[in-house]
Each structure stands twice: as C-alpha cells, then as structure tokens.
Amino acid sequence: MLRLLSSSKSKPTSVSSCSTLYTYLTARESSIQLCNSTNSPARHPQITPNPFNPSGFPPNQSNFSKSVQSPNGFRFLHQFSHKSQFYTHQISVNQVFLCGLSLKWRNVGKFNGNGIEFLRFGGLRSFCSESDRESMNYDVVIVGAGPAGLSAAIRLKQLCREKDVDLSVCVVEKGPEVGSHILSGNVFEPRALDELLPQWKQEGAPIDVPVSSDKFWLLTKGRAISLPSPFDNRGNYVISLSQFVRWLGEKAEELGVEIYPGFAASEILYDANDKVIGVATNDMGIAKDGRITLLGEGCRGSLSEKIMKKYNLREKVQGQHQTYALGIKEVWEIDASKHEPGFVLHTLGWPLDNKTYGGSFLYHMKDRQVSVGLVVALNYHNPFLNPYEEFQKLKHHPAIKPLLEGATVLQYGARTLNEGGFQSIPDPVFPGGAIIGCSAGFLNVPKIKGTHTAMKSGMLAAEAAFDVLHEGLNMETYWNNLKNSWIWEELYRARNYRPAFEYGLFPGLALSALEHYVVKGRFPLTLKHGKPDNEATEEAHSYSPIQYPKPDGIVSFDVPTSLYRSNTNHEHDQPAHLRLRDHNIPEHVNLPKYVADDDGRLKLQINAQNCLHCKACDIKDPKQNIEWTVPEGGGGPGYSVM
Amino acid sequence: MKIMVAIKRVVDYAVKIRVKPDKTGVETTNVKMSMNPFCEIALEEAIRVRESGRAAEVIIVSMGPQQCVDTLRTGLAMGADRGIHVETRETLFPLSVAKLLKALIDVEKPELLIMGKQAIDDDFNQTGQMVAGLLNWPQGTFASKVVLDKEKQAVTVDREVDGGLETLCLDLPAVITTDLRLNQPRYATLPNIMKAKSKVIKKYTPDELSVQIKSDLEIVQVTEPPKRKAGVLVSSVDELIDKLKNEARVV
C-alpha cells in the first residue's frame, strides 16, 4: 500500500563480535567445500556446535540432509567481509530461537535481508528439516510464470520435441498459483499465440469473447464526447489474463515444464566470472542453477532492475529511462440486461487533468463480468494526486455509474505497466541469460497491449536459448532476432504517441492524430521522454490538496474494502519487504516537500502485508529510496479473473 | 506401524467465497483450492510420529475428483510415504467418506487413523467420529496433544473440550481428529516437491471398495448470511429503552 507506510525494521546493531563470527564461518565454509567435492548430498545429521548457543540444544534431527554445496562456495567467502553487519543483526535473533540453528549458519550466505529464515523461526512454521541451501540444476531457469515466461518455456519444449533433444526447464513463480499475480485489462491480440499454439481454440484456451464494439470517449465532469476510435481491435478478444496464463501454465506442464508457484526468486547467483548461473529462491535458500536464466518478472521486476543496473543494459544501447503508469482495476459482475460481451470502451480526460496522462478502460467479458479500470501515468506532477481515489471518482461519471449500480465487485487489483516503448528498450541480453516481457518493456502504448509482444519476446528468447544450449551459439541472437521481428517494427511505429503527451492533453491528442492518420510512424525524429517519473513530482507548495469524495459503498469503496477483494495475504512474521535505503529521508526530506501541512505528528508506516506487488512505490519515490524486494513466495494478491 | 491420514481438498482459506447465482452451492470453479488446514495439522502429526521412530509408514488418503491428486502430491511433499486416491465425481457426505475409509482400513490395516476435526468448507465435524463408530475403534477428537506409547500399544490424547482439557488414553487401533493447537505444519520445500513426484499414488473407485455412495442429505439451498445492518446511534437512555421495548422487543 502506498499511502500507509511504516518502517518496522530495526537497524543492524554494532559490529563487535563480527570478527569471531567471520572466522568461524570461513572455517566451516572451507570444510563444507571439502566434504562436498563429490558433489552428492551427504546424508548425515549435522550436529555442529553453535558458538552462540553453547548450552547446545540439540538441533532437531528430523529428516535433513546436508545439501549439495552450490558452486558459489567461493562467493560466500568473498562476500562475508562486505556484509558483516547483517550477521550481527541476525545473531541477536538467533539466540532466541533454537531448533536447527547450527544448520542455519549455512544460510548466512544469503544476504539482502534474507535473514527472513532466522526471523521466521519463531513464527508460524517449523523449518527443522530442510534448511541447507540446496541447489537444483536445470538447463533453463525462468523467473516468472507470466505470458512471457510461459511462452518461453513452451517454445523451448516445442523445440526440444522438434529436434529430439531433452532440456530441463523450470519456471519459478512468486504467486501462490500460476496467474494469481497477473493483472491486465485485457484486450488480447492473438498474433503471438497463433505462432506459439496455433490450435489454441481447439485446446480450450479461455479466449472466447471477440471484440464486438470499440468506443473512445473524451470525458468531462458531466459528459462523454465520442471520438473516432484510434484502435483497430478487429480480430482481438476480451479476456482475463490471469485465466489465460493459468491455461498456458497447464499447457506448459503438459509439455514437461516444471512450474513451481509459491517460490519467489530473490537473488541472482553469479559465478567467479560475474556470469549469471541461476537464481536463489527465498524459501530455505534453494538455489536453482541454470545454464540459461530468463527473467520474466513483469514491469519493474526486482531482479531485472538489478541486472540492468549491474550490466548497464540501458546505457549500452543508448536507451532512455523507462516510464511507467499505474493501472488500477476491478472486475464487476453486472446485470445481464446491461451486459454486452465484447464491448470495449476507452476514455480520456476526466477525472485526470490536462497535464496528467492517463485514461480508463471498460471491457465486457463473459459470464456477466466487466473489467473497469484507470491507468494513470506515473510522471504526474501533483503530489496530492491519488490514483486510487481518481479511479473511485471515475466510477461516478454519469456515463459509467449506471452500469455499475446494483452490481457486485468480484476482484480488485493494481499493477504498474511500461510506457517507455521503443525509446526505453534496454539490451535484454546479459551474461548467462536474458530479460523477457515487460521486465524489458515491450508494451505498445497507443494500442495499450503488451501481452502479445511479451509472449513473442519469450518465444524469441527461447529460440536463442535453445541455440545456445544445443549448438553453442550466443545469446546475442535473441537481441538480433528481436530487432528483426514484428515487435521491433510495431514498437517503432508506435514510438512517438506517448512522448507527444509531454506537451499536454490536447497537443498530445493532436500530435497523435497526426501520427495515426498521416505520418504512420514514418516521422524522421524520435521524440524523447521527459523527466524520469520519480523526478516529476513537484513540491506541495505549488499545489493545493485535492478533496476526494467519500466512498459511497455502492460504486466507490475505501481502500481496506478493495484490498480485501484482492485476496492479498502475506505471512505475517516476515520482515517488511519494502526496504528503505535511508531511513531518514521519508520524514526529514520528503515530508516537508510533498505534504501540505505537517504538525510534526506524521510518521512513516509501511504495512507490507497489504502489498499488491504493483511496484509503484519503487518507481515513484522521489529519492528512489524504497527498494521493492520480493517477499516470501506464496504471498501477495490472489487474482483469479483479473 | 502404519498411520493413515485422511485429507480433503477444499477451497483455500484465504479465498473470498461467493455463493453461486443459482444458490446451489459455493462458487468453486477457478478458485484456489488447497489442503484443509486441519488435515495439514493431522499430516504433520503423523509425520512427526514417524520421524520419532514410532511408526514406519504414513499413508495419505483423499477422495474426490481427479484434482485431488494435486493435494495428495502436496501431502507427499510434506513427507508422507504414499498416497491413495478414491476417485469419484459425486458429492461426498461424511457417512460415505466414513464407509470408504472403513473399506480402505480393512485393506491397509493401519493402527492409527488421524484426520482433521472438520473441513473448512462444510464444517461437518462428523467423519472421524463416524469412522470410529463403524470400526468400533476408540476415538480421541479435538486433539491438542498426542503421545504415542508403542510398547503399551496405546495413545494418550489431550482433548480440547468446552470445559477445558480432557486427557484420554486410547488403545490402538484408534481414531484421532486434530484441533488447531496440536502443531504447526511444515512447508513443503522445493526439493521435497520434486521427490514427491515419484512417490506412488494408488487409485481406487468406490465400486472396487464395495461401497455404495448414497446420501441421506440433500442440499436444498445455500445463501449468504444477511448483511449486517448499520448500528443506530441513540441520543438518550429513554430513547434506548423505548427502542428496546418497542422495536427490538427484547425488554
């Protein structure tokens, strides 16, 4: 949740006993390396004395085995000296909890606040069995069971069948089920699906509502002015992306892909040459070693951002920064008499002002279900703008309210999406893998469709990965294939629509009309994006607070009610996964600048349990102080029809 | 010694359920299903007994459509040794389940049957007791502590009853149904999930077990509970008494 934020994490304490800890750990690590030289799990109970628990409560010997040492033994040693303050923090916690602690020291190699395991101990579940870092080897590891990740997995298995090769493919997904973290409008263009699974209709894909009408309105406070529709949605379908992804997941499993929902990839594993060799999941330090790692985490993926920063993937191709929008959506079940399957509506204008880019959508699906949502570009200037409240306002518009009165809300959710388009595409290839889908950013903004390009990018990455594993080629073929594919051509033609709106709503509309009807993408210049989203927020003194109407409980709702409908849940005892890089900035720097009047009583409160994993906080924080890290797998929203 | 654990695939506890528009039941298509929480506790207890060396094998049983196999796989990933799936598409009420369990117990001959006290979708709280009745076995329901004594072939069960805690000593074979405070179930870790794929799940049908599924119960209607009405603020004690007397008629 953006608005209620708190930092409940305590700071790491002093570094006094660190040196003894360090020596103990290095000795242990070297012994571990020796005994695992045969690279097979030694099955004997581990009874190492724990120097911080000398009374020696015996570790629970139930059913554990010493794990295979991942090839990162070297890395652990190397990293200890830098990360020592984490251990002191964990030491004090460890003295409270007992069972299997000595085993846990192995997990010290997991940084980035993965002291999660330690803190979880006294919490809900007992971890006495598997507690060492197990490493599982696959040929390809894919992070994220979304359209891109699953398309890549399916394509890989198809290629395996064609060429009679066997590659092991594993997909890890942080959501509790495949599809539970997927949210999208969605008007689906089947172009990539036709290439991937041409028999999708016969195989029962949940794609059965063709677009029947396409409307485009400019909204003012009381009216809706119909404009010519800039979209051409003939041949497209109105679908629920989470249901479609669930079906894709079944198809992938039929082909032999191993999908593991409930496991969040939290860490990238590198070898001595700084090449990516796999990922580690949050759960008990399971490392997945893959010869190729594909990251399909969706917009602003946490691992993808790290990788892009590490290897300078944007600078390599002179790509601009990525720009984003926040989409908030609800699925309603309405009266059969008001329902027209295939009805597609997009609006511009009210409730957003002329300087804020965004618009709403309303799609009629099947079973009397309707998707309604608002997308607000995150480079809005007004610090008092609240996208959630704007969405509630939208639903009161006289053209939309009658549809929703008397109906029930089934689900609610939110997610950020890319708006950078062509200008912001990074080099998606890194040593050891590639970035696919919205993590790289292939959404076509004027069409507002990104599913087909995400799927196609997954398929191209799969083909390149297959060539790498089978014929020893380079992953660079993925980048080249991207540039020669219809994704490139489509995004190139669409590149100037969104930047045109930097000049305001009406100039943007005018320029877009020019693009669409006259120029058709052949404009010699490529417009650039404005400031990055986090720098666009202006200070509070230039604006006045916006008075949002109270929710009426019929059409608009308060945040807790909506949150309840998103089925969001996180295990309570884990530390907050929204990490602050500097704890002083929120109250001492941001508060005076961006909040109207503060009588010194406002404090930052982060309720990480309510997080919808939308990533808007990571994007919009003015000082980029919030780092969204992935929480324990299995938590987060539970979308089923979004 | 064999332990049998009966588990049920139900709507996940965190899902917001809706009543179907035709009021015949709760919407179960496209909702997340998982193992009944009380069954998880039962399975965890069985696995702990086996890990302490007092049992040799833990068998899990589930009844229902094909998707029950997923729940069984989760159970196998938690640590059970093998699974049994009784496949049927019909609605199963507690008596049918109890009869099927009795038939399976006649085949497998476990010495302990552990189950959850009730399922969170129908809240019947009957199956364990019915099985004990059919088999004529002692039962310890609402167990919050289970201690197995192998030499004496008995199990001591602390039961959570309305008045407090009751301790019973049951001779084996016995039926135990578990309550919330018995233990904290473990997570199925990824390597265990992978190993579970190779564990055996045997399939039966009710016909093979010579059990006829007929139900004496019929669900007539399922409706949502009435929505809570907003409270009314009264301005004085007299008005309160007046309302209690005349409107609510409770005074």
Side-chain angles (χ1 to χ4, degrees), chain B residues 77-96:
Chain B
M78 278 172 71
D81 296 303
R82 56 188 170 90
I84 297 177
H85 175 217
V86 179
E87 187 159 359
T88 169
R89 290 199 159 275
E90 303 185 39
T91 344
L92 289 170
F93 288 111
L95 188 55
S96 315

Side-chain angles (χ1 to χ4, degrees), chain A residues 110-130:
Chain A
K110 289 167 43 44
F111 323 118
N112 309 324
N114 280 335
I116 286 170
E117 272 86 52
F118 296 89
L119 293 176
R120 265 165 112 194
F121 234 91
L124 293 186
R125 304 266 174 148
S126 62
F127 291 127
C128 301
S129 45
E130 297 284 347

Side-chain angles (χ1 to χ4, degrees), chain A residues 505-567:
Chain A
L505 178 64
F506 290 105
L509 274 176
L511 279 170
S512 298
L514 191 67
E515 265 293 328
H516 185 71
Y517 294 110
V518 178
V519 180
K520 297 201 209 282
R522 290 182 303 243
F523 201 60
L525 292 177
T526 300
L527 296 178
K528 289 206 175 302
H529 298 312
K531 292 192 216 165
D533 295 341
N534 59 297
E535 292 173 21
T537 319
E538 290 173 17
E539 301 195 12
H541 58 74
S542 328
Y543 292 88
S544 49
I546 307 179
Q547 292 300 335
Y548 287 107
K550 279 207 174 328
D552 69 350
I554 304 171
V555 162
S556 56
F557 308 95
D558 59 358
V559 179
T561 313
S562 293
L563 198 60
Y564 175 75
R565 292 177 178 138
S566 68
N567 288 326

Side-chain angles (χ1 to χ4, degrees), chain A residues 420-487:
Chain A
F422 185 78
Q423 291 89 323
S424 304
I425 299 179
D427 178 355
V429 179
F430 54 84
I435 305 181
I436 55 179
C438 280
S439 293
F442 300 115
L443 191 136
N444 182 329
V445 183
K447 264 198 199 176
I448 23 176
K449 292 180 177 56
T451 318
H452 61 310
T453 47
M455 289 175 70
K456 181 65 178 172
S457 72
M459 289 156 63
L460 291 173
E463 285 160 16
F466 188 78
D467 289 336
V468 169
L469 295 173
H470 187 50
E471 286 161 43
L473 294 181
N474 201 313
M475 209 54 202
E476 287 295 319
T477 48
Y478 167 47
W479 185 219
N480 295 330
N481 291 345
L482 255 180
K483 287 191 270 196
N484 293 329
S485 71
W486 50 259
I487 299 182

